[in-house]
Amino acid sequence: MAGINKVIIVGNLGNDPEIRTMPNGEAVANISVATSESWTDKNTGERREITEWHRIVFYRRQAEVAGEYLRKGSQVYVEGRLRTRKWQDQNGQDRYTTEIQGDVLQMLGGRNSTQGGYAPQGAPQQQYTQSSAPSRPAPAEKPAPKAEPAMDDFDDDIPF
Amino acid sequence: MAGINKVIIVGNLGNDPEIRTMPNGEAVANISVATSESWTDKNTGERREITEWHRIVFYRRQAEVAGEYLRKGSQVYVEGRLRTRKWQDQNGQDRYTTEIQGDVLQMLGGRNSTQGGYAPQGAPQQQYTQSSAPSRPAPAEKPAPKAEPAMDDFDDDIPF
Amino acid sequence: MAGINKVIIVGNLGNDPEIRTMPNGEAVANISVATSESWTDKNTGERREITEWHRIVFYRRQAEVAGEYLRKGSQVYVEGRLRTRKWQDQNGQDRYTTEIQGDVLQMLGGRNSTQGGYAPQGAPQQQYTQSSAPSRPAPAEKPAPKAEPAMDDFDDDIPF
Amino acid sequence: MAGINKVIIVGNLGNDPEIRTMPNGEAVANISVATSESWTDKNTGERREITEWHRIVFYRRQAEVAGEYLRKGSQVYVEGRLRTRKWQDQNGQDRYTTEIQGDVLQMLGGRNSTQGGYAPQGAPQQQYTQSSAPSRPAPAEKPAPKAEPAMDDFDDDIPF
DNA sequence: TTTT
DNA sequence: TTTT
């Protein structure tokens, strides 16, 4: 073994988490998190901004936590690792998708935050928070890539 | 030169920032940030928690930002480096203090957060955000933060 | 602006760097770095390993440093940020590629390392080291690395 | 629980590891790792360098690994968390020591490296490398501070 | 494609 | 001294 493969993201969810259940009953959550950076263009003097979207996947307990407490707009700290999956498009061509496999999930801003806000809970108030996955989270879980749903409802009312 | 010396802290301020001005007129801010971790004691089965306090210092523009926008309870992301300073107590004995010299400061939770909350400002409502200092902090200069454009164009060019 | 987008990679180059020059004369370097993780399969008890390849791009001075000193097998520490670029394949279909835009490059293993090894240089033996780019890389400038003084004064002022 | 408390260090050991055994038989390793940064003084134009020493503690299996494979001069990647311990000096005064509790240890430079080099092993060639500790490594292990051995043999023949 |  |  060799190497360090670490990603740290702080940003806001662009949508509610997508939760699936694997054949063995374990949960998988996909979230899409935006980070943006801005700078002043040296040539034009204009202010510019670029937004980067990160596709993050959590498994098992963390997937459940994500499904229960995260919502579109929620601010999160995520620590994970890069993983590039190979798949084939309808033409049989090799395609690659890079995503972040989450190891640490921490919700930010507090549950009273008006900024994105977390899921309303009727259930017993659990103490979510940082939940760390062991080093290799799920030995064989390589979910087949699926058609990504269009993020067409993305622009309506993002609270930040 | 050799090495990487990096600290990443996400936590809440235990007090308002302490702001000083150096002889040359530059600002210095000290903040104290708590992180805590909890676990279940293997022997007693009890829930335990330990809180760690981090002393963080910012210089110049970042110090001003800290003074303007941070308050007791504010949640922050800080990236910096460890620095151990040597000093002498009243007995002339050598003493050492380790603190974090901040390079990146990002406020969390949004400006509407009820959770800690940021300073009320009479001045134009700036969206402070990440401000990065170059490698060696004391001799560092940063462009003054400008009002950030709203993220109203959130919907373009999403790759998935 | 909002968010943190940070990647930390420690691994070995799978090939010599690819160096290009942009129309404005600035250098661009692409390197491919492997990280791998291994674990024991819970079901079969077998040892398994997965290798992840990271495509990393450096600009300007750092690109030149990469071109001069890195070679296939070189071990590096890289800090950067994720960037997904959109492009179109020969069928006019949208495609996305995620790469790491490097901000910090540190060579590991020392110049005497037999492990991968760095480029033979006819030029004065520089001790390249960490070179950090400011926040937005493309418009970045870095002071040229200078010969580093040997760490011969290693013994002073150790606080413990 | 709340917060992130993370330290990442890449540097070289100033001494061989100090290995102790706890009453329960578990190993504890203390290592001292240097990072340095250099910059050009804006006023004098002189090249300056500052070295920072990090006190890092590993427990259990990682402590054993450190004891077996690390030596003065070894280059390591360490990930851990800050921990400030309170103790009392001979005058009964409160004193504080900040150290890094290691969670991840990765040796750098390869075992063939001439740069520091790792311990000769007659024993079965174990696969050291990254070893991660679970989130809370040892619920109650707060080793009492002890008199630190002077690092007086520090300057003799450091190979970098 | 690297490294262990 | 914070927060959950």
Side-chain angles (χ1 to χ4, degrees):
Chain A
M1 183 282 191
I4 298 295
N5 172 3
K6 182 168 287 290
V7 183
I8 290 172
I9 300 291
V10 174
N12 299 279
L13 275 73
N15 283 111
D16 288 354
E18 302 160 19
I19 312 294
R20 292 178 300 121
T21 304
M22 300 213 291
N24 64 1
E26 292 174 357
V28 180
N30 280 281
I31 61 173
S32 187
V33 176
T35 58
S36 59
E37 48 182 320
S38 51
W39 71 101
T40 303
D41 188 293
K42 279 194 297 193
N43 299 120
T44 68
E46 282 172 12
R47 198 72 189 158
R48 297 188 53 190
E49 188 183 56
I50 191 172
T51 295
E52 193 71 37
W53 287 96
H54 306 91
R55 187 90 181 153
I56 306 173
V57 58
F58 285 102
Y59 294 100
R60 301 168 188 256
R61 180 60 196 143
Q62 286 177 310
E64 298 170 17
V65 168
E68 284 183 64
Y69 295 102
L70 297 183
R71 289 294 174 268
K72 177 178 181 174
S74 296
Q75 191 181 34
V76 290
Y77 170 99
V78 172
E79 203 175 309
R81 65 194 94 166
L82 289 171
R83 190 177 65 174
T84 297
R85 294 184 289 105
K86 185 183 186 176
W87 52 286
Q88 280 159 342
D89 65 15
Q90 62 279 27
N91 305 329
Q93 260 193 309
D94 285 347
R95 300 281 289 270
Y96 299 89
T97 296
T98 299
E99 62 191 9
I100 297 165
Q101 184 179 312
D103 292 318
V104 175
L105 169 60
Q106 170 117 33
M107 296 166 68
L108 301 175
R111 76 165 64 108
N112 300 323
S113 177
T114 62
Q115 176 268 342
Y118 302 120
Q121 316 100 325
Q125 183 76 5
Q126 292 181 270
Q127 185 182 12
Y128 70 78
T129 54
Q130 180 177 353
S131 59
S132 294
S135 194
R136 186 103 254 274
E141 54 214 4
K142 292 235 166 192
K146 55 187 183 64
E148 301 286 353
M151 273 175 101
D152 47 13
D153 55 359
F154 200 76
D155 48 342
D156 27 47
D157 57 352
I158 295 167
F160 50 80
Chain B
M1 185 281 190
I4 299 294
N5 173 3
K6 181 168 289 289
V7 184
I8 290 171
I9 300 292
V10 174
N12 299 277
L13 275 72
N15 286 111
D16 288 352
E18 302 160 18
I19 311 294
R20 293 177 300 120
T21 304
M22 300 213 289
N24 64 2
E26 292 173 356
V28 181
N30 280 282
I31 62 174
S32 187
V33 175
T35 58
S36 59
E37 46 184 319
S38 51
W39 69 101
T40 303
D41 188 294
K42 282 189 295 192
N43 300 119
T44 68
E46 284 173 10
R47 197 74 190 156
R48 296 189 54 188
E49 187 184 55
I50 189 173
T51 294
E52 192 70 37
W53 287 97
H54 306 93
R55 186 90 181 150
I56 305 174
V57 58
F58 284 103
Y59 294 99
R60 302 173 185 248
R61 181 57 196 149
Q62 286 178 311
E64 298 170 17
V65 168
E68 285 181 64
Y69 295 103
L70 298 183
R71 290 294 175 267
K72 178 177 181 171
S74 297
Q75 191 181 34
V76 290
Y77 170 99
V78 173
E79 202 175 312
R81 65 194 93 168
L82 289 171
R83 191 177 62 175
T84 297
R85 291 183 296 105
K86 185 186 188 176
W87 51 285
Q88 280 160 341
D89 65 13
Q90 61 278 26
N91 305 330
Q93 260 193 310
D94 285 347
R95 300 281 288 273
Y96 300 90
T97 295
T98 298
E99 61 192 9
I100 297 166
Q101 186 180 308
D103 292 320
V104 175
L105 169 60
Q106 170 119 29
M107 297 167 69
L108 301 174
R111 74 166 70 112
N112 301 323
S113 177
T114 62
Q115 174 264 347
Y118 302 120
Q121 316 101 325
Q125 183 75 2
Q126 294 181 284
Q127 185 181 5
Y128 52 76
T129 54
Q130 181 177 350
S131 58
S132 293
S135 199
R136 189 102 251 278
E141 247 120 54
K142 279 301 297 175
K146 321 235 295 279
E148 301 286 349
M151 271 176 92
D152 47 11
D153 52 2
F154 214 43
D155 50 340
D156 43 41
D157 244 350
I158 294 166
F160 46 76
Chain C
M1 185 280 190
I4 299 294
N5 172 3
K6 182 169 288 290
V7 183
I8 290 170
I9 300 291
V10 174
N12 299 275
L13 274 73
N15 286 110
D16 288 353
E18 303 159 17
I19 311 294
R20 294 177 299 118
T21 305
M22 300 212 289
N24 64 2
E26 293 173 356
V28 180
N30 280 280
I31 61 174
S32 187
V33 176
T35 59
S36 59
E37 48 182 319
S38 50
W39 71 102
T40 303
D41 188 293
K42 282 189 295 192
N43 300 118
T44 69
E46 285 172 11
R47 195 77 189 154
R48 297 188 53 189
E49 187 185 56
I50 190 172
T51 295
E52 193 70 37
W53 287 97
H54 307 92
R55 186 93 183 149
I56 306 173
V57 57
F58 285 102
Y59 294 100
R60 300 173 187 249
R61 181 58 197 150
Q62 286 177 311
E64 298 170 17
V65 169
E68 284 181 66
Y69 295 103
L70 297 183
R71 289 294 174 267
K72 178 177 180 170
S74 297
Q75 192 181 35
V76 291
Y77 170 99
V78 173
E79 201 175 313
R81 66 195 92 168
L82 290 170
R83 190 178 62 175
T84 297
R85 292 185 294 105
K86 186 184 187 175
W87 52 284
Q88 280 160 342
D89 64 14
Q90 63 278 26
N91 304 330
Q93 259 194 312
D94 286 346
R95 299 281 288 272
Y96 301 91
T97 296
T98 299
E99 62 191 8
I100 297 165
Q101 186 178 309
D103 292 320
V104 175
L105 169 60
Q106 170 119 29
M107 295 167 69
L108 300 175
R111 73 167 70 115
N112 302 322
S113 177
T114 63
Q115 174 266 342
Y118 302 121
Q121 314 102 325
Q125 182 75 2
Q126 294 181 284
Q127 185 180 6
Y128 54 73
T129 53
Q130 179 178 352
S131 59
S132 294
S135 197
R136 189 99 246 278
E141 248 119 56
K142 278 300 298 175
K146 319 236 295 277
E148 300 284 349
M151 270 176 93
D152 47 12
D153 53 3
F154 214 44
D155 51 339
D156 43 40
D157 241 352
I158 295 167
F160 47 77
Chain D
M1 184 281 189
I4 299 293
N5 172 4
K6 180 168 288 290
V7 183
I8 291 171
I9 300 291
V10 173
N12 299 278
L13 273 73
N15 284 112
D16 288 352
E18 303 160 18
I19 311 294
R20 293 177 300 121
T21 303
M22 301 213 290
N24 64 2
E26 292 174 356
V28 181
N30 280 281
I31 61 174
S32 187
V33 175
T35 57
S36 61
E37 47 182 319
S38 52
W39 70 101
T40 303
D41 188 292
K42 280 191 297 189
N43 299 121
T44 68
E46 283 172 11
R47 197 72 190 157
R48 298 188 53 189
E49 188 184 55
I50 190 173
T51 295
E52 193 71 37
W53 286 97
H54 308 92
R55 187 90 180 152
I56 305 174
V57 58
F58 284 102
Y59 294 100
R60 304 168 186 254
R61 179 60 197 143
Q62 287 177 309
E64 297 169 18
V65 169
E68 284 182 65
Y69 295 104
L70 297 183
R71 289 295 174 267
K72 177 178 178 172
S74 297
Q75 191 181 34
V76 290
Y77 169 99
V78 173
E79 204 175 309
R81 63 194 96 166
L82 290 171
R83 190 177 64 174
T84 296
R85 293 184 292 104
K86 185 184 187 175
W87 52 286
Q88 280 159 342
D89 64 15
Q90 62 279 26
N91 304 330
Q93 261 193 309
D94 286 347
R95 300 280 290 270
Y96 299 89
T97 296
T98 299
E99 63 192 9
I100 297 165
Q101 185 180 311
D103 292 319
V104 175
L105 169 60
Q106 170 118 30
M107 297 166 66
L108 300 176
R111 74 166 66 109
N112 300 323
S113 176
T114 62
Q115 174 268 343
Y118 302 119
Q121 318 100 327
Q125 184 74 6
Q126 292 182 272
Q127 186 180 12
Y128 70 78
T129 53
Q130 181 177 351
S131 57
S132 294
S135 194
R136 185 100 253 273
E141 54 214 6
K142 291 235 168 190
K146 57 187 181 62
E148 301 288 351
M151 274 175 100
D152 47 11
D153 57 348
F154 200 76
D155 49 341
D156 28 46
D157 57 351
I158 295 169
F160 48 82

